[in-house]
Amino acid sequence: MNIKKVGNVILAVTDIDKSLEFYNGIIGLPIKNQRRSWVDLGTSGALLSLHPASLTAEHVGSSIDNGITIGFLVGDVQSAIDELKEKGVKIHRDIVEKDAGKNAVIVDPDGYLISLFEPIFGDKAQQTSGYQGFTPA
């Protein structure tokens, strides 16, 4: 076996239209490919793929039940959380600051937890500056 990298994370969702509105319309992930029963979101690295759970198996549980959490790097976690609160997104855990950076957790329409992480690099030249919300770190 010669795995090169993670290609995509497939998320089984109860309502693909509702999830597409959340991930594309609210969070702002661009649509890379879209078919009737499958949507790939993102531009580089691993893609987030949405697939209706009804086509494979019943959707059961939330992140807390099944252990799935999706992580996104953000340029400014505070502005991302402010933006999401204005859009009515449920905040599971507000911003916590640790040695590695700042982190908050939100909830998607299916109850999946989404971690928003703003890293703090030891080398300040690597640190993103001037970005707002979901601009990639």
Side-chain angles (χ1 to χ4, degrees):
M1 182 177 294
N2 188 15
I3 296 173
K4 304 281 187 203
K5 65 177 184 171
V6 174
N8 64 336
V9 173
I10 303 166
L11 196 60
V13 298
T14 55
D15 183 331
I16 197 161
D17 294 326
K18 191 174 184 178
S19 292
L20 182 58
E21 171 56 28
F22 180 81
Y23 286 101
N24 176 254
I26 294 175
I27 289 190
L29 286 175
I31 298 170
K32 183 163 186 161
N33 297 306
Q34 184 173 7
R35 297 180 297 283
R36 184 182 61 77
S37 62
W38 191 277
V39 180
D40 292 324
L41 299 158
T43 55
S44 63
L47 299 175
L48 177 63
S49 300
L50 305 177
H51 180 66
S54 62
L55 295 180
T56 53
E58 182 181 352
H59 182 276
V60 179
S62 65
S63 282
I64 294 169
D65 300 324
N66 62 32
I68 295 171
T69 300
I70 299 167
F72 292 119
L73 292 179
V74 297
D76 181 346
V77 74
Q78 182 63 62
S79 67
I81 289 297
D82 292 345
E83 178 183 331
L84 293 170
K85 284 180 179 177
E86 287 177 14
K87 293 179 178 180
V89 173
K90 181 179 177 187
I91 309 300
H92 179 76
R93 192 194 73 230
D94 219 331
I95 299 168
V96 174
E97 192 163 349
K98 302 282 185 175
D99 290 343
K102 299 175 189 174
N103 172 258
V105 180
I106 61 173
V107 181
D108 89 344
D110 283 291
Y112 292 118
L113 297 177
I114 300 171
S115 170
L116 305 175
F117 181 64
E118 176 188 340
I120 298 172
F121 295 103
D123 177 0
K124 292 297 180 190
Q126 288 184 295
Q127 188 67 32
T128 305
S129 63
Y131 288 127
Q132 297 295 313
F134 291 97
T135 304

